Amino acid sequence: MDLGIAGKTALVCGASKGLGYGCADALVREGVNVVIVARGAEALGAAAKKLAVAAAGSPTPFVKHVAADITTEAGRAAVFALGHDFDIVVTNAGGPPPGDFRNWDREAWIKAVDANMLTPIELIKATVDGMAKRGFGRIVNITSSSVKSPIDILGLSNGARSGLTGFVAGVARTPIAAQGVTINNLLPGSFDTDRLKGTMAGAAQKTGQDFDTVWEARKKNIPARRFGTPSEFGAICAFLCSMQAGYMTGQNILADGGAYPGTY
């Protein structure tokens, strides 16, 4: 399917690996010009080289990268030094660490909210009016399945991402919806990423079980009997950015292999 977005320009955050990279890869294969952002310069540079190889079409889309912390004002300034005219924005920041809420102080909460709620809001604020003026815009926030089904050891993520969900529910339904701009949240369940491995390691420590036991048990609880892959997550993201998805806005799209019953 031709998604109709070749030649558009996208900003993809947290794209050096994992789900962010999967989204950037899917977009560049659709002929989208991509600017990828992440903190680790070496991993980001390697990701940019891989994306350049994946780029197809005529003319070949460009791939640029900015090594910066998108959760800071300085990081966002470094990205927007390239321009504000992004047609597509994929927000994504590493989730806060798992743990017991009794051990989280105010600083931990502020850091989580800043990265996983306020940063996406700042990116939306910086780009949405330009999108509306041009008559096309797609914003996809990578959040978490915990928005639908909270996970006890991910309380920081539960709180911060739920706040973003509430904000998007309102702003997506403002007059920008009539100007060709959609804002949706993409909620990953269990995908085979470093993030999942870290969460499973925390669960193993909490229960006193070994990692492999926890890993296999989690997999068996998913009706699909497997973890998702970054490439299939990226394909969903690319569809949400497509011309065909222009009538979808303010939605929370759960990609979980059927793991969470009752979220229909």
Side-chain angles (χ1 to χ4, degrees), residues 121-132:
I121 291 174
E122 289 293 334
L123 293 172
I124 293 169
K125 185 169 68 174
T127 58
V128 71
D129 289 334
M131 292 176 177

Side-chain angles (χ1 to χ4, degrees), residues 83-178:
H84 284 73
D85 295 338
F86 292 105
D87 305 297
I88 296 167
V89 174
V90 180
T91 77
N92 178 36
D100 189 318
F101 76 94
R102 299 170 183 82
N103 299 323
W104 296 325
D105 57 15
R106 177 178 175 79
E107 183 179 354
W109 277 106
I110 294 299
K111 186 176 181 180
V113 170
D114 194 35
N116 299 120
M117 177 182 172
L118 298 182
T119 291
I121 291 174
E122 289 293 334
L123 293 172
I124 293 169
K125 185 169 68 174
T127 58
V128 71
D129 289 334
M131 292 176 177
K133 185 176 180 180
R134 295 188 299 275
F136 177 89
R138 300 288 186 266
I139 297 172
V140 178
N141 303 299
I142 300 177
T143 63
S144 171
S145 61
S146 65
V147 171
K148 291 278 191 179
S149 182
I151 302 168
D152 61 347
I153 62 171
L154 296 181
L156 290 171
S157 179
N158 296 341
R161 297 188 193 279
S162 294
L164 176 64
T165 302
F167 169 80
V168 168
V171 73
R173 293 170 172 84
T174 63
I176 63 170

